[in-house]
Amino acid sequence: MQHSGGYKTKQREVILNYMIEHQNSHVTVNHISDYLTGQGTPVGVTTIYRHLDKLLEQGLVRKFTVDASTCACFQYAAHNEDCHQHFHLKCDTCGKLIHLECTHLDELIQHICSEHGFELDPFRTVLYGKCRDCLQNINIKEQTT
């Protein structure tokens, strides 16, 4: 029989493995919980948050807070040190969160700072709109009507 410390280590390992397997996605605590429940190893949401907080402290995952009405997203980040130094795009239709690597934004950041006296926080900068897939779906629907 494992003592409670061993069990928590197993939970951490399962959560970390999930994050590694989904490292190209932004996942929520509910995604992790649903997956673990589906695997027959349910873990409480509070426990998942606790383990994610520890992984955040260790620099193994990053946390993205989009807005007050949306759950925080997490992403495995051990091998992607620059992940947080850019803007993100959030699709209003499907909810997808996209990393935006674009050097043109450097000019915008500089302009806003020098001309408007405002420094943007790249850790919390999200632009809202529609992703390419959702725009294509809208265009297809419009063409068939």
Side-chain angles (χ1 to χ4, degrees):
M1 182 168 134
Q2 286 186 327
H3 59 78
S4 63
Y7 183 67
K8 289 180 182 174
T9 300
K10 178 66 174 169
Q11 289 175 338
R12 179 194 178 279
E13 181 181 321
V14 170
I15 292 167
L16 180 58
N17 286 338
Y18 177 88
M19 296 303 297
I20 291 169
E21 289 172 17
H22 296 88
Q23 63 184 295
N24 293 322
S25 302
H26 295 93
V27 300
T28 65
V29 169
N30 289 335
H31 290 136
I32 298 169
S33 177
D34 291 347
Y35 172 79
L36 296 175
T37 298
Q39 296 295 308
T41 56
V43 176
V45 171
T46 303
T47 301
I48 295 171
Y49 273 113
R50 188 170 51 248
H51 286 294
L52 287 172
D53 284 343
K54 290 177 185 174
L55 293 171
L56 277 163
E57 289 172 12
Q58 296 168 351
L60 295 175
V61 298
R62 287 208 171 73
K63 180 178 181 179
F64 299 95
T65 305
V66 178
D67 57 44
S69 64
T70 305
C71 294
C73 296
F74 297 86
Q75 184 176 34
Y76 180 73
H79 303 295
N80 191 0
E81 295 302 321
D82 295 325
C83 174
H84 60 284
Q85 292 295 333
H86 58 246
F87 287 75
H88 293 86
L89 305 176
K90 171 124 171 106
C91 181
D92 292 325
T93 303
C94 70
K96 187 185 309 179
L97 187 66
I98 303 166
H99 295 276
L100 181 60
E101 300 285 351
C102 181
T103 57
H104 293 290
L105 288 175
D106 293 340
E107 295 171 26
L108 176 64
I109 292 168
Q110 289 294 358
H111 170 81
I112 290 172
C113 187
S114 65
E115 297 297 318
H116 304 282
F118 191 86
E119 185 174 320
L120 293 174
D121 181 355
F123 293 96
R124 298 177 48 208
T125 307
V126 179
L127 303 172
Y128 295 86
K130 304 240 182 294
C131 71
R132 178 178 291 140
D133 293 339
C134 290
L135 284 172
Q136 287 175 347
N137 288 337
I138 290 169
N139 289 334
I140 289 170
K141 287 178 185 175
E142 288 175 355
Q143 291 174 0
T144 59
T145 57

